[in-house]
Structures are given as structure tokens and as C-alpha cells.
Amino acid sequence: MDTGTGVDTETATDPHPGAGGWHLTHDLDEFLTRAGAFLRSRPALHTVPLTVTETLRTRGRSVYGDAAPEFGVLERAGEVRAAFFRTPPHWLNLTAVTPEDADALAARLAALGRRLPGVNAECDTAAAFAEAWQRHTGAPAVLRQRQRLYRLGTLTEPGPLPPGGPRIAVEADRELLRRWHDEFSASVGLGTVRDSAEWADARIASGGITLWETPDGTPVAMAGTGPRVAGQVRVAPVYTPPHLRGRGYAGAATAEVSRAALASGVDEVLLFTDLDNPTSNGLYQRIGYRPVADFDVHDFT
């Protein structure tokens, strides 16, 4: 049975795929064994499950919350067709599926008593799952955010650069990073998906945040990169406090982390934007980022 914590008390792994071929598990290693090659076959489109599972593997299963993460793999004739993960209490993240497969998954999760706050997926898949979830649970879906995934082509330095320069964040910046992480999470409207202090510690340890600071040494913006996995790195977060925006700080910081990622030898540098923010979409395209695919986030009310 589902206790509401996200863990099935009868078994942590469902050994028998149900209708539609979906295999469910709470075991990260099993999920990566089954779905790892599939996820790596299209690393750009699967950047979120790749980076989240890498973070779970290296930072621990509770990094995104106390409840056990949930995973699923769609297999037919020995071939993986799709996958999902969820780190409760956050949204279901689902790779591209047909409406029929979305319906089978929604029916399966509803029958198990799962309570989902929403879904994040490519537009057609998100809409299909949201419609199926409403059919099987009665919970209406509301479009929360439209996102666009970009891939870096030829990097173009923004110009002229604002005064100051970049530096890697260090331990002395921990409180600033923690505060800016919370402010960024609030600004994008998707809630805090990770403890800000733990996040700051991890990024400082990996050198994963670059600050742009003014000539007097005052940090005015940050840009980060996630773990390198399957030959790709995703830029996130990019944040400038509201009173400092419009001065080129975010563009300069983003160009710097993008340049560093390319210099490290990765195959792809990616980032997501909110499609309702024309400023950031225009900025990233001027730097050299090109659209890959659009994703939607639906809330279930």
C-alpha cells in the first residue's frame, strides 16, 4: 500500500510490469541499470533525469527530500521506450511517450494510490499525461510554466562586458549562495527542490558556481553548472538580484561558465529558460544558445 511517503510498504520494487509495460522501483541502481543506456542515448533531451540521478548517486537518496525517490521504466520486447523519476514531494519528470503510454502510466500510478503534484515533460507528453491523470483521478491540471531547452552552438561573448570580472565561489560565499539559491527558486516559481545550505556546500566543493563581481569585489550575479554526465553539462542557476538587473552581469557570468564548460571538453552545454521571460531568452540566443525542445510543467489541483 502507499503510505503517503512515496514508499510502497509491500515492496520497494515492483518486479512485475503492469499494464502497458511500466516497471516501477525505488531502487536507483536498478533504474540506472535498466534505463541508463536509454537516457544516455539522447543526453540533451534527457538532461534532467541524467543530472538528477547523478546527484542522487553522489550526494545521497535524500538530497531532494526525505521521501524515497520513485522511478519507472517502460520496456517492450527487451527495449526501453521511456522512463520517469520523481523525488517527492516534487513533480513527476517523464521522458517523451505516446498518449497511450502516458495513459497506462497514469492508470498504474492512480491504482497504486500515488498522489502527484504535477508533471514536467516535453509539451505533448506533459499534456497527454495531464489529461490521463485527470481521467483516472479527477484532478484537473493547470499549466504552470513553459520552458525551452537550449544547446550552445558557437559561443559569442556579450559586449561590452560590465565592469569587474568572474571568480569561482568559495566557502566565504556560502551564505550569499544559500540566500541567492532561495531567491532564485522563488523567482522561477517552481519552489525549492533542494536544501539551500546543502546545495551551496555541494557547489562550492565542486567549483560549480561562478560569481561576477564589481571592481570593488562585490558579487552582483551568479551562474552555475551541474555535474558532467553523458558528455553534457547544464548551466543552472543563473541569477542576478532584482535591483542589479539590466547591467549585463548575468550575460557575462553565463558566457564565462559556458566558456569554461566548453574548455573542459564536454560535447554539449545546455540550459533551460522560462518562455515567459523574453529578456533571458533573447540574452541566451545572443550568446550562442539555440533551441532544442519545449517543455511544460502542469500542476494537478
Side-chain angles (χ1 to χ4, degrees):
M1 62 178 291
D2 182 359
T3 65
T5 64
V7 177
D8 190 330
T9 56
E10 294 177 359
T11 176
T13 299
D14 178 358
H16 304 296
W22 284 99
H23 176 96
L24 311 183
T25 183
H26 290 281
D27 188 318
L28 174 62
D29 293 333
E30 180 189 3
F31 173 72
L32 291 176
T33 297
R34 286 177 175 268
F38 165 76
L39 295 176
R40 290 169 182 269
S41 69
R42 305 184 74 185
L45 291 176
H46 300 156
T47 178
V48 174
L50 284 167
T51 53
V52 167
T53 53
E54 178 65 10
T55 300
L56 290 168
R57 188 185 68 81
T58 58
R59 302 295 297 181
R61 306 299 198 267
S62 62
V63 67
Y64 294 106
D66 293 334
E70 305 170 3
F71 309 100
V73 181
L74 175 63
E75 293 179 289
R76 290 203 181 95
E79 180 182 357
V80 175
R81 304 292 182 88
F84 78 81
F85 77 87
R86 181 176 174 240
T87 54
H90 308 301
W91 295 266
L92 181 83
N93 188 287
L94 177 62
T95 66
V97 295
T98 65
E100 293 76 18
D101 291 331
D103 184 80
L105 177 60
R108 185 78 179 285
L109 296 177
L112 290 171
R114 299 291 194 263
R115 294 188 290 276
L116 302 181
V119 63
N120 186 345
E122 289 185 67
C123 296
D124 290 346
T125 291
F129 185 86
E131 292 170 3
W133 189 250
Q134 181 169 353
R135 283 196 301 273
H136 291 289
T137 68
V142 176
L143 179 63
R144 182 187 184 99
Q145 188 179 75
R146 301 179 305 132
Q147 302 175 337
R148 177 159 290 165
L149 174 66
Y150 286 90
R151 176 191 289 114
L152 182 61
T154 300
L155 178 64
T156 302
E157 296 284 352
L161 290 175
R167 69 169 174 85
I168 302 297
V170 297
E171 181 62 32
D173 302 304
R174 182 177 187 269
E175 178 57 27
L176 175 70
L177 297 191
R178 187 201 63 74
R179 185 173 73 252
W180 279 4
H181 175 268
D182 286 345
E183 291 174 6
F184 170 80
S185 297
S187 71
V188 298
L190 292 179
T192 300
V193 300
R194 189 170 173 185
D195 177 77
S196 58
E198 192 279 336
W199 173 87
D201 290 340
R203 289 302 182 94
I204 290 168
S206 68
I209 291 290
T210 292
L211 300 173
W212 191 271
E213 58 182 17
T214 57
D216 66 0
T218 301
V220 288
M222 71 173 177
T225 52
R228 176 175 177 168
V229 56
Q232 51 94 7
V233 162
R234 191 168 80 254
V235 174
V238 177
Y239 181 70
T240 306
H243 68 285
L244 295 170
R245 292 174 185 169
R247 308 181 192 186
Y249 297 140
T254 302
E256 174 61 22
V257 298
S258 302
R259 181 202 59 76
L262 288 174
S264 73
V266 298
D267 299 323
E268 297 182 315
V269 184
L270 309 166
L271 59 76
F272 279 99
T273 66
D274 181 348
L275 275 175
D276 291 333
N277 186 337
T279 299
S280 62
N281 283 271
L283 166 65
Y284 297 135
Q285 291 183 70
R286 288 194 299 274
I287 291 175
Y289 283 89
R290 299 294 177 257
V292 176
D294 289 349
F295 291 72
D296 285 342
V297 179
H298 292 264
D299 282 343
F300 300 148
T301 59

